[in-house]
Structure formats: C-alpha cells, structure tokens
Amino acid sequence: MKKFWSISVWRRQTEGADVKYLKNVFTLVVLLFSLPVVAQQTPFTSREATTLNASGTQTAESALAFQEFRRGVQAYYRGSFNDAILQFEKALSYLPNENLILDWLGKAYYRSGIEGAALQQWQFASDSGYGGLLLKNQIEIVRERRITDNAYQSSVKYTEAGSFPGRNGENLVFSQPISVLPEDDGSIWVLAYGSNELIKIDINGLVVNRVNVPLTGFDRPMDMIRMSDGSILVSESAGDRISKFSAKGGFVKSFGEKGIGVGQMVGPQYLALDELGNVYVTDFGNARVDVFDKDGNALFYFGGKSADFAGLKAPTGIACMNDAVCVADAVTGAVYRFDTAGNYLGLLCKEKTFIKPESMKQWGGYLVLCDKNHVYSIDAGTGAVFENVNTGNAPSRVTCAVPDANGNVLVSDVVSNEVYIMAKMSELIGGLFVQIERVDATSFPKVTLEVKVENRHRQSIVGLKDVNFFVTERKVPVMDLRFEGAAFANDIADVTLIIDRSVSTSRYREALESAVREIASEMKEEETVRVISAGAMPILEYTGSPNGIKQFSMSALKNPVASQVSLDRAIRLAANGLINAEKKRAIIYITDGTVSQNAFSNYSLSDLSAYLNNNAIPMAVVMLTQGTPAREITYLAENTNGGEYYVFRSQGLSRMMQDILAIPNGMYRLSYTSQLKTEFGQSYLPVELEAYLMNRSGRAETGYFSPLE
C-alpha cells in the first residue's frame, strides 16, 4: 500500500555568519555601526519587546540575542531541542526579560520532556502580560496533564459534544441506529435497524460509504464487531444469521440459520470475541449464547439451566474479558459470568441492577453497558457500577456505547434517531490543544506546517480534514492553503528496539533472539529499525532495514552484560533517534521485566514519559517471562499507550506492529503561500492556526525564519 504521507528528515537551513562575542574594541565599533540595520531585522522591535532604549533604536544586546534566538528557532524545527535550549538560554543572557524568548524556551523544554521548566518560563512570560488567554490556557492544560492520565475513568460524566442525526432536512441519512463501530481514522460505521443498512460517516458527519449487503439485503441488523483481521461481523435478528464484511465493507459470507441446534439461532442480538477469535452471540429466542469459531463454524452453546444456575431468560449484551464471558439479561437485570467453555462462574452484577440492558462493550478494565436512557461502566473485577451518560427525560433508548479514536463515547439512540458524540465536560470547556510543531520554509514563499491536535488529556484527535483548519499570517488568511496529509493514514512505522543487557535477561537468550526476529519479520521493508543495547551505557548497535536483523544473534551485540543497566539513558537515546523518523513510531523494550537499582538515576519516570508523549513515541514492552514487569516498566508502557506483550503468547508478536500502527496520531501537514516580507531572511515571520471540530476548537501561534538571501 502506498504511504499517504512520507516525512523525510528536514534539511538544516543555511546559516548566516555567526556574530562572535565582543572581544575587542574594534568589534564593538563595527557592531555599533550596524545597529540601525539590525534594528529592522530582529523580532524584538515588536510591541512585546522590553529592551528598546528611549530613542527607539536597538541595543547591542538585542542584536546578539537575535542571532542566538534565530539559531534556537532553527534548532527547534530540526528536532534538536537540547541545542535549542542552549541557544535560547544564551539569548536570554542578553535580554533576560524578553517574553518571546521565554515562550520559545518553554516550547523547547516542553518538547524535551522537562515540563516543570517549561511551565516556569511560560509563567514568567504570562505574568508580564505576554500571550494573553492562549498562553494561560496552554499553561493550564500542561499543568493538568502532569497530575492526570489519559486512561478511561469510570466515574467521569460525559455530555453531548455533537451528534449525527438520522435526517438532514428532508433527506433520510439512516433510520434507527442500533450499533456503532469506530475506525482508527476517526470515522464510524453506523448500523441502522430501521433502514436495514450499514453506512460509514466521517468525523464531520458526512456519509462516505454505503456498503454492499447480502443478495437478500439486511434483515433487522442488531450489532456489529470487528475481528482481528479488520473484517466486520453483523448479527441479523430477523435473518437468524451473522454476516461477514471486509474491512472496507464488502460482503464476504453469512453463517448460521434458524433453529434450536448447534449453529442455529432464533433472534441473534449482540456479539463478542475472545482472544482466539471465537464469536459469541446472544441468542434471544433460544435464551442462550451460541459460539462459532473465527471461520463461522459452529462450536457449542451455553447458558441453559444447570445445578448452580437458573439459566438465562433474555440474554442481550455480551463481552469477553479476562478469560471470562459476561452476559447481561434483560429480564433479571443482572450480569452473569461464564468461562470461555460456557461454565457458570457467578454474578458480576446482581439481579435488578439494570432495567433493560442492551449492548455491553469492553473499555480498558471496564464494561460499558447501555440501559434505557443511561450508559454505565462496570468494574470487571468488583462489579461496581458507575453512571457515565444520562440522555435526560426526552424519549430515548440507547442501545450501544463505544469509545472512539478521539477519546469520546459514541452512543446510538434508536428512538431519537441520532448518534451522540459524548465528551468529558472539561474537554468541551477547554477545547482542543493545538501545536505547530514544525515550520518548513526552505522553499519560501511556500511554507509547510506540521500541526499536532490533541484533547486536554493528551489523546490525539484523528480524522480531521482541510475544512477543520484555518491559517492566518498576522490575522490575515493565507493564500493557497492545502491539506497535504495526515499521519493517521500512514501504513508504515519506524521502530527502535531496546535490548536489556542485564544479567537476569541474559538467561533468556533464545527467547530474546526469537522476539527480535519475529518483530523484524512483521515489519515492512521500507520501514526503519534501530537496535539499542541497554547496558551500563546504551549503545546504538544497528540502523537500517528490518531484513538486516531477521537472523539476529545476541553474539553480534557490542555491549557487554552488566549488573547495572542505565535504562533511562537508553530510552532517551532511542527517543532522540525517532524525533525525525516516521510520524508513526515506537520504542519496543525487550526484557525479563526486572530493573536494576540505578536504572532511572539520570531521568525521572515523569520526565521520560513526558518526553515520549510530547513527541508521540509510544513504548511497548516484550516480556521474556510470564511474570509481572517492574512497576517502572509498567508505568512507561501504560502512560505512553505502548502495551505489554509476552514473547510466547498464543497470538505471537504478529499483532504488535498492527497495534503500533493503530495508535492514534494527531499530526497533520498543511502548506500555503506566504505574503510576508522576509527582509532577506532576517525577519521573524508569524503564523497562526485554528482547528475546529464540532463544538470544540483550539488555536496555536508561532513564527519562523525564511532562508537567508
């Protein structure tokens, strides 16, 4: 598949002659004579400047600060954040109170993962009246992120952020949406019970696909679920069958028929999958659960009366989680637990907990269940119930609630004929967090922007299009604005493997070699892999095509086994090499799960996770043992959306690269033609951008320098 957006290493812009420090009187005289010209070139002649003398001319300190500032901006856009910090610090040594430099120094600290220092610089600038509400909002969001995470929170209330109505004026879009299924690109599939169809809607509510259905058409579709290969299963309650579609919506086949035997159903409703890909469907008419393998072959059914169980009365919602199958019952209002073989395990939620439960889907460690006009989350361990959504007193019947790629909850309502997009109240109030991460002006007047769009809790916003962006220069709309691409559409990813060289991990040589070879075999030839050995000091062992390590051997490593492993330095080295890599990228740490005493003596866990998150680098862990990894490793994996994998798990490591590619990435690329004067490359050129999505928006401002002339 052709890559949608290829990101190459940004070329370093040609630098002008460096301005040296004053060493003698002759240099000082020459510099003073040049001041009238420099005063027109620096950005510090703006209204934010605090260092102009009474006559309005620029001081020598401003000229020197300008040169350091210019180099700092260029280093920042190259991804050399440490160099940028040094340059901005030098600039501040000449102009300690210049707010523009403070702002950029905060940006460089932020991208380096040193969020405390970033907040300090931004606060200094804000206290001086710089940045207005935009900077204040940025400070608030970053502070909030440092004390909260982006995981699903069961007790949080969600409110309506927008909706996709079934009618657009006089035109019918769909009728009675009964189930929704999100895609990684922000679009959603909507299964319509009333109009017997399956349609795809983009993030802005536009219909982009109506799928081919079986020859006889849908017969009251009820639920849908995605299989591991991307295909979609749809249950048809009146058709007494399950239909399979390709990932793009093409009809493949149907299986199941009406009856009471194995593989037969009467009114199939909701679907679930276990880790092996087996299909579980609640059979409302037969009051049981039918089970098929991933190819549609009938296996068995369960849920009938037994010595310790009274039997299901009206099974509806179903979900597989933690090697258990949870089934809701519309008559008893309870949720029951079974093992994957159908043996009754007990109650998860007691009877009469719910009035008329519908679908039940997994989200993190919780089950999300719909019940009339409510959406609840159920703790899969304790059975505790929390209310997340209440649609109010208007006629309503919610039948499906699922998380989408942007951290929202999608809720289908068959009575109101709408699909609601529910978000946390804090997201609606605070809006989007937008950052212009890079500006490429090497082909000026053509300017290319790399823009990152997130919510307040660091979750990427995917699926945006050209209509979702507005770009200006000094508040004037730019010319020839083009949407160049989005990183979420990429189908390749660069990976850095960190190999633990600790004494304990060295005992699992064969397992480690197997892990490296399997990961390499799953990568595409055009992807880049790096191998870093984490010993007393990290060493970059290999960079190139995955083909080069398909026969990987531990004997090829230069780094010796060590009793103390500097894991923090290895992670920083790995992240540094990925800054200018493909926008979809990841670190994969291969270990036995232990950490040495001084593994994080140079960089704290919070700084490391911030560095990875602020540069969109997830960290996955491959465990060579079946034990639980050290808390530090788990913390990094969980807080960067990386995940944990056991090297010899039943599915193997074949899905690891698919999981990495599926991680939401909110990077976008836009270009335009600038109308600003460059002053031969010496002018600091501003650019502003706004991103819109339904009732939310976010804004970012930055600047850049064109090439020297």
Side-chain angles (χ1 to χ4, degrees):
M1 181 176 178
K2 187 176 180 181
K3 182 173 59 175
F4 184 66
W5 173 23
S6 177
I7 302 297
S8 61
V9 177
W10 290 58
R11 295 173 296 178
R12 184 171 183 172
Q13 298 181 1
T14 304
E15 298 272 310
D18 289 342
V19 179
K20 304 294 185 182
Y21 292 104
L22 298 179
K23 294 183 179 180
N24 50 51
V25 175
F26 177 81
T27 304
L28 177 60
V29 172
V30 172
L31 181 61
L32 291 174
F33 274 109
S34 69
L35 286 180
V37 176
V38 175
Q40 297 177 0
Q41 298 171 344
T42 73
F44 309 130
T45 57
S46 65
R47 62 184 179 181
E48 291 89 357
T50 59
T51 56
L52 291 178
N53 58 28
S55 64
T57 59
Q58 191 121 22
T59 65
E61 287 81 2
S62 295
L64 293 170
F66 165 70
Q67 296 298 332
E68 301 295 351
F69 174 76
R70 189 180 195 280
R71 285 193 285 268
V73 171
Q74 292 174 328
Y76 180 91
Y77 286 144
R78 291 195 307 271
S80 302
F81 305 123
N82 290 339
D83 291 343
I85 289 172
L86 292 176
Q87 299 298 333
F88 293 139
E89 290 281 11
K90 287 181 181 178
L92 277 177
S93 69
Y94 298 112
L95 300 178
N97 299 316
E98 177 52 54
N99 293 321
L100 186 60
I101 304 175
L102 288 170
D103 185 16
W104 273 92
L105 179 59
K107 291 180 182 179
Y109 275 130
Y110 177 80
R111 293 294 298 279
S112 294
I114 312 174
E115 292 182 338
L119 288 169
Q120 186 180 45
Q121 305 306 319
W122 288 333
Q123 193 64 58
F124 287 154
S126 181
D127 291 343
S128 299
Y130 175 86
L133 291 176
L134 182 62
L135 183 57
K136 285 183 171 64
N137 185 59
Q138 179 175 284
I139 293 171
E140 178 188 349
I141 290 174
V142 174
R143 279 179 176 162
E144 182 180 336
R145 286 178 169 185
R146 301 188 76 203
I147 58 175
T148 60
D149 55 42
N150 59 10
Y152 173 70
Q153 296 171 295
S154 64
S155 58
V156 170
K157 293 280 189 177
Y158 287 77
T159 189
E160 184 178 343
S163 68
F164 300 141
R167 282 193 174 274
N168 183 8
E170 297 297 323
N171 299 320
L172 179 67
V173 182
F174 52 75
S175 175
Q176 293 183 295
I178 198 163
S179 183
V180 288
L181 184 67
E183 291 280 11
D184 293 336
D185 63 0
S187 61
I188 65 171
W189 291 100
V190 177
L191 189 63
Y193 182 86
S195 51
N196 280 319
E197 59 183 342
L198 176 62
I199 64 174
K200 191 175 186 180
I201 300 176
D202 73 5
I203 198 170
N204 296 305
L206 299 176
V207 176
V208 295
N209 191 12
R210 291 183 185 270
V211 307
N212 296 321
V213 298
L215 294 177
T216 56
F218 279 126
D219 199 351
R220 298 306 180 193
M222 279 291 297
D223 192 23
M224 57 182 164
I225 196 167
R226 180 178 289 105
M227 303 187 73
S228 60
D229 62 358
S231 59
I232 300 172
L233 296 181
V234 176
S235 62
E236 299 181 59
S237 62
D240 300 313
R241 66 189 176 208
I242 298 172
S243 295
K244 183 176 181 179
F245 297 83
S246 68
K248 294 184 178 180
F251 176 70
V252 177
K253 66 176 182 179
S254 295
F255 57 89
E257 60 183 3
K258 186 172 184 177
I260 62 173
V262 175
Q264 297 179 325
M265 300 170 284
V266 178
Q269 293 204 340
Y270 295 100
L271 300 165
L273 297 172
D274 65 14
E275 291 187 353
L276 298 178
N278 294 324
V279 182
Y280 297 77
V281 54
T282 50
D283 187 340
F284 193 86
N286 288 320
R288 68 190 190 192
V289 175
D290 298 307
V291 186
F292 300 83
D293 68 15
K294 61 182 180 180
D295 297 316
N297 300 310
L299 296 178
F300 60 94
Y301 59 80
F302 65 87
K305 186 176 181 180
S306 63
D308 56 350
F309 180 52
L312 295 170
K313 303 297 188 297
T316 52
I318 186 170
C320 296
M321 188 174 180
N322 300 332
D323 296 324
V325 182
C326 300
V327 183
D329 195 298
V331 171
T332 65
V335 176
Y336 305 100
R337 295 177 68 250
F338 303 84
D339 64 20
T340 53
N343 299 306
Y344 179 64
L345 299 178
L347 282 168
L348 178 62
C349 299
K350 64 182 181 179
E351 295 184 358
K352 297 183 180 180
T353 299
F354 306 105
I355 300 173
K356 191 177 181 181
E358 299 281 355
S359 76
M360 186 164 55
K361 307 292 183 181
Q362 180 183 351
W363 189 359
Y366 296 87
L367 299 173
V368 181
L369 181 142
C370 296
D371 186 24
K372 296 193 70 176
N373 63 334
H374 295 82
V375 175
Y376 298 99
S377 56
I378 306 170
D379 189 308
T382 65
V385 178
F386 308 90
E387 182 186 84
N388 301 118
V389 173
N390 186 336
T391 60
N393 296 324
S396 175
R397 179 188 167 200
V398 296
T399 54
C400 181
V402 291
D404 71 357
N406 292 327
N408 304 311
V409 178
L410 304 173
V411 180
S412 60
D413 191 325
V414 296
V415 173
S416 68
N417 198 33
E418 287 185 280
V419 174
Y420 304 117
I421 296 91
M422 299 287 187
K424 299 173 185 175
M425 181 61 72
S426 60
E427 298 292 341
L428 296 181
I429 296 173
L432 304 175
F433 186 53
V434 181
Q435 304 163 80
I436 301 175
E437 296 207 337
R438 280 188 176 174
V439 180
D440 180 11
T442 54
S443 299
F444 192 88
K446 179 182 179 181
V447 180
T448 303
L449 308 177
E450 283 188 18
V451 182
K452 188 176 184 180
V453 185
E454 300 174 311
N455 66 15
R456 293 176 65 90
H457 294 87
R458 217 190 290 271
Q459 293 171 303
S460 291
I461 303 299
V462 301
L464 301 182
K465 300 183 178 181
D466 54 350
V467 297
N468 299 108
F469 294 97
F470 182 66
V471 181
T472 59
E473 291 179 317
R474 293 188 176 131
K475 318 305 180 188
V476 178
V478 299
M479 296 182 61
D480 304 322
L481 180 62
R482 294 176 180 271
F483 186 83
E484 300 283 353
F488 67 78
N490 278 12
D491 64 347
I492 66 172
D494 289 346
V495 166
T496 296
L497 306 180
I498 298 179
I499 296 177
D500 185 1
R501 294 294 283 155
S502 66
V503 175
S504 58
T505 297
S506 66
R507 303 188 185 104
Y508 303 95
R509 175 178 181 139
E510 292 184 3
L512 195 152
E513 290 177 344
S514 173
V516 173
R517 293 171 185 173
E518 188 172 356
I519 293 169
S521 66
E522 292 298 322
M523 293 183 67
K524 301 181 180 69
E525 186 175 351
E526 61 267 35
E527 295 174 330
T528 299
V529 63
R530 297 169 180 83
V531 178
I532 291 175
S533 54
M537 289 293 291
I539 294 178
L540 179 61
E541 303 276 1
Y542 174 83
T543 299
S545 169
N547 294 333
I549 58 170
K550 284 186 175 179
Q551 302 301 321
F552 172 78
S553 172
M554 291 284 286
S555 59
L557 297 178
K558 306 181 189 70
N559 214 351
V561 172
S563 58
Q564 295 293 323
V565 172
S566 184
L567 181 55
D568 54 356
R569 288 179 174 173
I571 294 172
R572 290 286 299 197
L573 178 61
N576 291 343
L578 290 171
I579 294 295
N580 291 314
E582 289 292 335
K583 293 306 171 186
K584 286 191 174 180
R585 62 273 187 109
I587 295 171
I588 300 177
Y589 181 42
I590 307 175
T591 178
D592 71 335
T594 61
V595 296
S596 56
Q597 184 177 0
N598 298 317
F600 298 96
S601 58
N602 300 286
Y603 300 95
S604 68
L605 287 173
S606 60
D607 285 348
L608 285 172
S609 63
Y611 186 42
L612 297 179
N613 282 318
N614 294 347
N615 293 285
I617 303 174
M619 178 175 160
V621 178
V622 173
M623 287 288 295
L624 303 177
T625 67
Q626 288 186 296
T628 302
R631 288 179 298 174
E632 296 90 338
I633 298 174
T634 298
Y635 175 88
L636 290 172
E638 288 181 348
N639 285 275
T640 61
N641 296 319
E644 296 177 4
Y645 302 82
Y646 173 52
V647 63
F648 295 127
R649 65 179 190 158
S650 57
Q651 312 96 312
L653 300 177
S654 59
R655 280 197 55 85
M656 176 176 282
M657 289 305 298
Q658 297 178 44
D659 291 345
I660 290 171
L661 287 169
I663 295 173
N665 189 305
M667 288 293 298
Y668 299 87
R669 198 176 185 191
L670 305 131
S671 67
Y672 65 92
T673 301
S674 176
Q675 301 297 305
L676 299 179
K677 294 181 179 180
T678 68
E679 300 294 341
F680 304 102
Q682 293 287 354
S683 288
Y684 177 76
L685 308 177
V687 59
E688 309 89 34
L689 179 142
E690 291 187 51
Y692 302 90
L693 178 60
M694 293 190 177
N695 297 326
R696 289 184 286 173
S697 65
R699 180 178 174 84
E701 297 179 355
T702 190
Y704 63 96
F705 292 93
S706 66
L708 291 171
E709 300 178 22

